[in-house]
Amino acid sequence: MSRGNIILAAFLWLIVAFFILYPLSILLQESFTITGTDSWGISNYLEFFKDTYYLRVLGNTLLLSMFVLLTTTVFGVPLAYILARYRHRGKTIFTALILLPIVLPAFAGVFAFIIFFGKYGTLNLLLMNTGLIETPINFIYGLHGLVFVQSLHMLPFIVLGLSAGFTNIDPSFEEAAEVEGASGFWRFITITLPLCTPSYLAGAVLVFLWPFTDWLTPMILGQTNLLPSVAYINIAYHFTDMHRKYMGIVAVVIAAVFCISLFLVARWWVEKKKYTGLSKGTTSEGRVIEPGPLLKMGAYAYLLFIAFIVLLIPIVLGLSAFSRRWVFEPFPTYWTLENFRLILLESPILIKNSFLYSGLALVFGVAFGLPAAYIIARSRVPGKDALDFVITLMLAFPGIAVGVGYMLAFWDKIPLARYWIIMPLALFARRLPWTFLLRRPRKYRARADSELFLPYRCLCCSRACSSA
Amino acid sequence: MMFFIMAFQEISTAIFLYRGGWETLPIGIYLNWHRGMEFGIAAAMAFLMIVITFILLLIASKIGGNMLKAAWSTDE
């Protein structure tokens, strides 16, 4: 252990303390502040948990989370299975398409689906033109639309985790079950799925937490009685009403605490499973099945269906971007470059800012990520695990909490927020765990290490075999 | 690369901090939607973001193998 390493670690800790711990502590402190006074107390929290409105909001958010998790699971399991196990053409292109929502901004999907599924959107108009329906069907505005949009956005997380799980299962377990007589669907339910539980859970946590983070999609779809949206509205629109602002901050803190605890529980569970593992005996490709013709057709149809929905996002947005006054018509009729001209003419600064801030955030990220990776992986500096822990925790942290924390912390005492540099700094802090991808690429990618679910094999197989 | 794309799309943090002249593309999209005037411009901006993301991924895949690898691995 050299002195240089200690200095480096101390420097990294300083950055973490200043850009993460400090703003978050201010956020926490503000949530305890009693309106109109300087004193602290838990009255805000008491009010939150007594008020039926806030309780209903909390309940709604939990309900939405469950729906989203259910939907992604129901659609994700067959999807992951097809992608991981079936030998078919165009595997790469389908995988790429299905993972696409991750690299698309969440709000892009909402806009596209509003145009396509909205009250007078393409689908409704087409249905009405053909005379199938009289009045437009409400496809998108409401809880069901929200579940749809958020599920599509989070589907890749489930699929990534599960397909890695399906690929990495030791084929001998399934073969053993086959020999013992457990076949087809039964084998899948009793052996394959349980073996994948940890890799599924890793993705499922992120999916479940998404409704606690995403405030914009609900707002666009007119569903404002959800925790992050309520927090956003309280803070952003009611800065004159101090009490509502504090209640908003309380909502942010509650969402953040919920996210972090759930994340930690899941992490603990997966880690616990990990340490009882056996040796690894998988082939690189895993078990690949040649499906029958009927099954193959079904699989293709299913893949095409999902791919179609995903592709709707860029296609619809593209149509909308190149057209003008596209309303009450299923497809645009008037093509123009006017929109782009307006963007380039009036607000090229947006594009410049986006690149500048993200670029700077990336520079910060690399400047922080490389030494941090070195310290954590190669040195024995005391407290390096705590550093790792704090950074990983940011993965589950709602962006809205980071934003509000920064707004509160860097205004009065440390007036950093008065300069534009706050933007890249905030982006950097928000995406801190992603800089860690530099270190252990596999672990944070869908968190689907093969060793995560090794232990489950023995147990489940013996159970399944005996039951078969 | 993934980090850049993620930062590029970030809105929930940025929305609290931006002031006049600091807007990014996501904020521009949000403001355009919020004012309720020009849906087309918001859509065009979102489309522009998608295109930029794709170009970034393409560049990354030229350097580091195929598209999927570019999106998911980060050993730059």
Side-chain angles (χ1 to χ4, degrees):
Chain A
M1 183 168 33
S2 73
R3 175 175 288 176
N5 280 351
I6 294 183
I7 294 172
L8 191 59
F11 185 65
L12 293 176
W13 264 114
L14 212 66
I15 294 175
V16 168
F18 187 69
F19 289 112
I20 295 175
L21 300 180
Y22 171 67
L24 296 187
S25 68
I26 295 283
L27 180 72
L28 204 61
Q29 183 197 324
E30 289 275 322
S31 75
F32 283 109
T33 308
I34 296 165
T35 318
T37 64
D38 278 338
S39 55
W40 295 2
I42 55 164
S43 65
N44 290 340
Y45 286 88
L46 286 179
E47 191 186 326
F48 186 94
F49 284 108
K50 271 185 195 151
D51 195 328
T52 48
Y53 169 69
Y54 286 112
L55 286 180
R56 209 174 54 236
V57 164
L58 196 61
N60 281 343
T61 318
L62 278 171
L63 195 70
L64 177 67
S65 283
M66 276 176 230
F67 276 139
V68 171
L69 187 57
L70 196 73
T71 319
T72 47
T73 306
V74 167
F75 282 93
V77 169
L79 204 56
Y81 192 79
I82 293 170
L83 286 178
R85 290 298 177 80
Y86 286 1
R87 185 172 287 140
H88 55 76
R89 278 167 188 278
K91 201 167 187 162
T92 323
I93 189 90
F94 275 122
T95 314
L97 276 179
I98 280 150
L99 299 184
L100 190 67
I102 278 191
V103 293
L104 297 182
F107 42 83
V110 194
F111 285 131
F113 291 131
I114 285 181
I115 299 173
F116 193 81
F117 290 112
K119 275 225 168 83
Y120 289 94
T122 307
L123 189 60
N124 264 325
L125 287 171
L126 280 180
L127 285 176
M128 285 199 292
N129 286 352
T130 52
L132 281 173
I133 51 168
E134 292 286 310
T135 49
I137 301 170
N138 181 8
F139 286 112
I140 194 95
Y141 289 98
L143 194 65
H144 55 294
L146 194 52
V147 171
F148 168 66
V149 174
Q150 292 196 333
S151 298
L152 191 73
H153 187 66
M154 293 315 275
L155 193 59
F157 286 93
I158 292 279
V159 173
L160 266 183
L162 272 178
S163 63
F166 286 142
T167 309
N168 285 322
I169 288 176
D170 190 334
S172 59
F173 289 118
E174 292 188 323
E175 279 155 18
E178 225 164 296
V179 170
E180 294 281 337
S183 60
F185 190 65
W186 181 244
R187 186 175 73 237
F188 179 72
I189 296 285
T190 51
I191 297 175
T192 315
L193 271 190
L195 285 173
C196 290
T197 315
S199 47
Y200 165 74
L201 202 76
V205 173
L206 294 179
V207 174
F208 195 82
L209 294 183
W210 179 242
F212 282 85
T213 311
D214 181 24
W215 53 271
L216 184 56
T217 315
M219 276 183 63
I220 295 177
L221 292 179
Q223 295 287 304
T224 48
N225 49 358
L226 293 160
L227 200 55
S229 313
V230 164
Y232 175 75
I233 291 171
N234 269 3
I235 294 169
Y237 292 170
H238 296 278
F239 40 82
T240 45
D241 182 349
M242 287 310 272
H243 187 64
R244 283 200 70 167
K245 186 182 143 193
Y246 284 127
M247 290 310 286
I249 293 171
V250 168
V252 170
V253 172
I254 287 172
V257 167
F258 182 84
C259 285
I260 282 182
S261 355
L262 203 70
F263 184 74
L264 285 180
V265 168
R267 192 173 122 114
W268 166 79
W269 196 83
V270 173
E271 294 277 317
K272 198 180 71 170
K273 293 288 167 191
K274 188 170 138 187
Y275 287 124
T276 43
L278 294 167
S279 68
K280 190 179 170 184
T282 57
T283 59
S284 63
E285 206 188 2
R287 191 181 150 98
V288 178
I289 304 167
E290 185 72 50
L294 207 66
L295 213 56
K296 198 166 187 164
M297 289 276 285
Y300 265 119
Y302 188 63
L303 284 181
L304 281 173
F305 169 68
I306 303 275
F308 168 72
I309 294 181
V310 172
L311 273 179
L312 268 183
I313 302 174
I315 290 172
V316 170
L317 280 179
L319 290 180
S320 176
F322 287 106
S323 65
R324 194 140 180 85
R325 300 207 179 75
W326 175 16
V327 278
F328 298 111
E329 285 153 5
F331 298 102
T333 46
Y334 184 75
W335 302 95
T336 173
L337 285 171
E338 180 69 11
N339 290 325
F340 290 99
R341 197 183 65 87
L342 278 175
I343 293 176
L344 289 178
L345 200 73
E346 288 172 13
S347 41
I349 194 155
L350 299 191
I351 302 167
K352 195 203 85 187
N353 282 345
S354 273
F355 273 103
L356 179 68
Y357 298 156
S358 311
L360 273 176
L362 181 66
V363 172
F364 295 147
V366 172
F368 180 88
L370 285 180
Y374 169 76
I375 288 288
I376 289 167
R378 297 285 170 81
S379 78
R380 280 197 291 271
V381 176
K384 70 175 179 119
D385 291 330
L387 189 68
D388 190 10
F389 182 73
V390 172
I391 295 171
T392 311
L393 220 52
M394 291 297 284
L395 202 61
F397 216 77
I400 193 168
V402 180
V404 178
Y406 264 60
M407 185 181 73
L408 296 170
F410 296 121
W411 192 253
D412 281 340
K413 287 173 203 151
I414 307 170
L416 213 55
R418 295 171 194 220
Y419 306 97
W420 60 266
I421 193 76
I422 194 75
M423 298 291 285
L425 283 175
L427 295 183
F428 155 70
R430 165 85 173 109
R431 295 302 184 191
L432 201 57
W434 296 88
T435 67
F436 257 43
L437 288 166
L438 293 170
R439 179 173 55 112
R440 291 178 298 194
R442 292 213 116 237
K443 182 159 186 190
Y444 292 93
R445 208 194 322 166
R447 306 182 63 80
D449 295 320
S450 57
E451 64 262 43
L452 287 186
F453 52 85
L454 269 161
Y456 235 54
R457 288 178 181 173
C458 280
L459 183 83
C460 299
C461 284
S462 56
R463 199 176 59 201
C465 291
S466 58
S467 70
Chain B
M1 187 52 82
M2 205 55 202
F3 182 85
F4 186 85
I5 292 171
M6 282 301 189
F8 202 69
Q9 298 172 351
E10 181 63 44
I11 179 162
S12 42
T13 310
I15 196 89
F16 288 104
L17 297 167
Y18 85 93
R19 305 173 78 196
W22 303 355
E23 295 95 338
T24 61
L25 272 176
I27 294 176
I29 294 170
Y30 175 75
L31 290 178
N32 266 305
W33 165 75
H34 196 72
R35 289 194 212 112
M37 312 188 309
E38 282 298 341
F39 205 79
I41 291 186
M45 280 182 180
F47 187 68
L48 202 63
M49 279 188 69
I50 294 177
V51 170
I52 291 172
T53 307
F54 260 108
I55 293 171
L56 289 173
L57 278 178
L58 262 175
I59 294 170
S61 64
K62 273 275 181 296
I63 301 166
N66 67 41
M67 199 96 160
L68 273 180
K69 244 166 127 188
W72 295 107
S73 78
T74 37
D75 30 5
E76 292 171 18

